[in-house]
Amino acid sequence: MATKTIGASEIKKCFLAGAANLEAKKEWINELNVFPVPDGDTGTNMTLTIMSAAKEVNNLTSPNMESISKAISSGSLRGARGNSGVILSQLLRGFTKVIREHDEVDSIILATAFNKAVETAYKAVMKPKEGTILTVAKGMADKILELCTSISDLEDLFEKVIKYGDEVLKQTPEMLPVLKQAGVVDSGGQGLMQVMKGAYDALMGKEINFTAGPEVKTNVAFSEEKEIDTADIKFGYCTEFIVMLEKQFGSREESEFKAYLESIGDSIVVVADDEIVKVHVHTNHPGLAFEKGLTFGSLTRMKVDNMREEHEERLIANASAIAQGKAESPATEPVEEEPVENKKYGFIAVSAGEGLSEIFQSLGADYIIEGGQTMNPSTEDMLNAIDKVYADNIFILPNNSNIILAAQQAQSIVEDKNIIVVPTKTVPQGITAMINFAEDCSPEDNLETMKEEIARVKSGSVTYAVRDTEIDDKLIKQDDIIGIGDKTILAVGNDIESVTAEMIDQLMDDESELISLYFGADVTEEAANELSSKLEEKYPDVDIEVNYGGQPIYYYILSVE
């Protein structure tokens, strides 16, 4: 029998099946990374993004189209990681904007939803590039729009749309030469196709077992910590929750909500978008905050921490550690404390590696989000960090091209602070941006100066290849050492030092004055200093700086300025 309409329960099954199929294929998708590096993460980022939404969808016992749309949209929005994850979240966001208005959807409504998804995703990307997940999504949206008036059977319609999506995916190497050189299709597009195929299996009646995996948390490190007396904690419970909006929540309602929270506590943070409100408050009556939130919708992610109790336990633990000569590092488990008055500027930097994090902290970073190349932080990680930086203007340094979109998505959600995303694509660019910050300049002038200075930084990184490939006429074998520049692979060989030196040779020019080396967890300080000595002999008029980065996977991160 033909299926001409589907309701919320079928949408739930199809969405969970799509998420499960993507999760099952994530490692295969990771291997489609253009560069054969060990941190190919498109499959991981897309999976973590959709799983954030799938967990909320899975918890809906009697979903209607409105509730399931909210769960999909808000869950994927908060969980979005990496460029592919952010784009996937925007596709889902646009799709749900249409279906939420209907009790059931047919071929016409689905076609409208597909095209709204593509429109929303393209708007989210400043410079859309064809040959990517966007191209695959647009291809399917065009095809379903073409067929929706002549094919009412959704099973038949989905089969044809997916078949066409695969055809578009196969053409992505012809649109992006770098894909053709690497011999792969676009990984983001492949991830989207796996979501579609999983959803189609569910539509056809295939039983899919969805299992919500463990929650992935990104560490946020405080740059400093002050000891406080429990008697000084005026409001003892750190209370956090998210309101899944079911009623109007405009500027007037938001102001009234904040005023109420201020009457029962302090350290108020209320971040709202079209579908959710994220709330943080220190209060002595968490139940009152929850009850007020319930007047606007249902609650999720409810969390209450007794700050006095936690502080006492921490003092005991630190005293014990001190007695054993191993006091706890102040940058791991932050103590909630009485908020201070907002300062003018704050900084959030993304970093991977103990040494790199210490460098950013020494330059004035308030919070470090531990993530970077090997684990891209989510939009929610960004929002959590923003919540805890007491500054009117907050600069975010993504330090990775694959994290910029998630930072910008967080920027678009926050209204009570001025969030400035500095488009730093590498750690050296992030360090340069902070060095060139001027406290007495405006946010706009600082951003302009930072952009100008990071444009002068030529960055590189050294790692190993995880598969055979050929890129830019360079034949690469698995386990080769490769030096990657800002846009392409610059050096290939069998020795870390020689590959690093060759890459630096290509980055140098007559105006170069400084070489900065950040050695990773798998490189000894002795080896780094030995390389530095050889570079000093070769470039006697250039300053050489060597710093411990501690980053995984990458033997060296470096820059030439």
Side-chain angles (χ1 to χ4, degrees):
M1 179 182 290
T3 302
K4 295 191 176 182
T5 62
I6 54 175
S9 60
E10 289 82 14
I11 292 287
K12 176 180 177 179
K13 290 177 183 177
C14 289
F15 182 75
L16 293 180
N21 195 49
L22 176 60
E23 201 279 336
K25 304 289 179 56
K26 68 179 178 182
E27 293 302 333
W28 172 55
I29 295 169
N30 283 341
E31 292 172 2
L32 296 177
N33 193 27
V34 171
F35 287 165
V37 295
D39 62 358
D41 53 8
T42 299
T44 299
N45 284 336
M46 294 184 73
T47 297
L48 291 173
T49 299
I50 202 169
M51 282 299 177
S52 176
K55 288 173 185 175
E56 295 195 14
V57 170
N58 194 46
N59 289 333
L60 296 174
T61 54
S62 300
N64 55 37
M65 208 66 84
E66 177 73 16
S67 65
I68 200 166
S69 294
K70 286 184 177 180
I72 292 172
S73 179
S74 62
S76 60
L77 176 72
R78 294 192 308 274
R81 296 173 188 264
N83 294 344
S84 55
V86 171
I87 293 172
L88 177 60
S89 75
Q90 291 298 320
L91 288 169
L92 294 171
R93 188 175 176 83
F95 182 83
T96 57
K97 281 183 179 179
V98 173
I99 66 168
R100 71 193 311 163
E101 303 296 331
H102 306 274
D103 293 330
E104 290 188 327
V105 297
D106 57 16
S107 60
I108 304 295
I109 295 170
L110 280 176
T112 305
F114 268 58
N115 280 271
K116 186 65 174 179
V118 170
E119 176 190 333
T120 304
Y122 266 88
K123 285 181 179 178
V125 181
M126 188 171 296
K127 295 180 180 179
K129 185 180 295 185
E130 297 306 325
T132 66
I133 180 176
L134 290 171
T135 306
V136 177
K138 187 175 186 302
M140 289 191 287
D142 290 343
K143 178 56 68 172
I144 196 171
L145 191 62
E146 173 192 332
L147 300 175
C148 66
T149 55
S150 58
I151 301 177
S152 60
D153 180 2
L154 298 184
E155 294 173 2
D156 186 20
L157 182 64
F158 259 66
E159 182 181 14
K160 288 180 168 58
V161 169
I162 288 173
K163 182 179 179 181
Y164 186 73
D166 276 336
E167 291 176 5
V168 175
L169 179 64
K170 289 177 183 177
Q171 293 303 310
T172 54
E174 301 302 321
M175 303 177 202
L176 277 180
V178 68
L179 294 176
K180 191 170 186 177
Q181 287 182 20
V184 296
V185 296
D186 179 68
S187 54
Q190 185 64 271
L192 179 61
M193 293 311 303
Q194 297 314 309
V195 174
M196 290 291 296
K197 290 175 181 179
Y200 176 69
D201 284 343
L203 184 65
M204 296 297 292
K206 183 177 178 180
E207 287 295 326
I208 306 293
N209 293 322
F210 174 78
T211 303
E215 184 175 357
V216 176
K217 295 183 178 180
T218 304
N219 295 325
V220 180
F222 287 59
S223 64
E224 62 176 304
E225 180 185 86
K226 302 172 183 177
E227 291 295 347
I228 56 176
D229 191 286
T230 55
D232 294 330
I233 300 177
K234 182 178 179 182
F235 298 103
Y237 297 96
C238 176
T239 306
E240 297 181 15
F241 57 96
I242 290 173
V243 183
M244 308 291 288
L245 289 174
E246 296 169 1
K247 296 182 180 179
Q248 180 176 334
F249 194 83
S251 57
R252 181 174 64 84
E253 288 80 9
E254 183 175 350
S255 296
E256 291 176 355
F257 189 30
K258 287 180 178 178
Y260 176 79
L261 294 176
E262 287 171 355
S263 73
I264 63 169
D266 63 9
S267 191
I268 313 295
V269 178
V270 176
V271 180
D273 71 356
D274 295 339
E275 296 149 350
I276 66 170
V277 181
K278 185 175 176 60
V279 182
H280 174 281
V281 57
H282 292 176
T283 180
N284 288 326
H285 304 285
L288 294 178
F290 289 150
E291 287 181 15
K292 189 66 174 177
L294 283 168
T295 64
F296 298 105
S298 58
L299 305 187
T300 185
R301 304 286 181 90
M302 293 175 286
K303 180 173 174 283
V304 178
D305 293 325
N306 186 327
M307 294 187 290
R308 297 186 182 95
E309 182 179 271
E310 285 186 350
H311 183 63
E312 288 173 352
E313 290 176 353
R314 182 173 175 80
L315 289 178
I316 293 170
N318 273 351
S320 176
I322 291 170
Q324 299 176 47
K326 52 179 182 181
E328 186 177 337
S329 168
T332 53
E333 291 286 340
V335 173
E336 293 283 355
E337 61 183 67
E338 196 80 10
V340 295
E341 184 178 349
N342 275 11
K343 57 183 179 179
K344 183 177 180 180
Y345 289 115
F347 281 89
I348 296 170
V350 180
S351 172
E354 178 186 1
L356 295 176
S357 297
E358 289 178 355
I359 291 170
F360 279 113
Q361 288 174 344
S362 70
L363 292 172
D366 296 274
Y367 275 49
I368 304 297
I369 300 178
E370 296 178 12
Q373 192 70 21
T374 55
M375 174 55 75
N376 298 155
S378 67
T379 296
E380 185 167 25
D381 292 326
M382 299 284 182
L383 292 173
N384 288 338
I386 291 168
D387 285 351
K388 296 180 175 68
V389 173
Y390 298 108
D392 294 324
N393 304 282
I394 301 174
F395 290 93
I396 299 180
L397 305 172
N399 301 331
N400 187 305
S401 59
N402 207 31
I403 300 175
I404 293 174
L405 274 182
Q408 291 173 340
Q409 187 151 277
Q411 178 188 38
S412 69
I413 294 173
V414 177
E415 295 181 354
D416 59 339
K417 298 176 182 178
N418 181 31
I419 308 301
I420 306 107
V421 177
V422 186
T424 52
K425 297 180 179 180
T426 65
V427 166
Q429 285 187 355
I431 292 171
T432 296
M434 291 205 70
I435 289 173
N436 285 278
F437 167 74
E439 182 76 30
D440 56 347
C441 290
S442 68
E444 296 77 15
D445 288 343
N446 266 309
L447 178 60
E448 191 62 31
T449 299
M450 290 176 180
K451 284 183 175 180
E452 290 176 0
E453 293 303 321
I454 65 178
R456 306 178 199 276
V457 178
K458 290 180 283 187
S459 306
S461 55
V462 182
T463 185
Y464 59 92
V466 294
R467 58 180 168 83
D468 296 351
T469 189
E470 184 174 353
I471 298 177
D472 292 336
D473 298 323
K474 290 182 174 63
L475 188 63
I476 300 170
K477 297 292 184 182
Q478 184 174 338
D479 297 326
D480 277 353
I481 306 299
I482 52 178
I484 307 171
D486 289 320
K487 295 181 179 179
T488 188
I489 293 177
L490 297 177
V492 180
N494 299 313
D495 175 73
I496 296 172
E497 182 179 292
S498 62
V499 168
T500 306
E502 181 183 345
M503 182 167 61
I504 290 173
D505 286 346
Q506 295 195 49
L507 295 175
M508 293 290 290
D509 58 33
D510 293 339
E511 297 181 357
S512 299
E513 298 176 346
L514 172 65
I515 299 172
S516 299
L517 295 172
Y518 306 92
F519 61 95
D522 297 321
V523 175
T524 66
E525 184 174 1
E526 180 182 5
N529 287 332
E530 185 176 337
L531 173 60
S532 175
S533 296
K534 293 180 179 179
L535 292 173
E536 287 174 353
E537 291 179 10
K538 188 167 187 177
Y539 304 107
D541 297 327
V542 175
D543 292 329
I544 314 289
E545 289 186 356
V546 177
N547 294 282
Y548 170 62
Q551 67 274 4
I553 295 179
Y554 288 84
Y555 303 117
Y556 287 101
I557 291 174
L558 58 89
S559 64
V560 174
E561 301 174 59

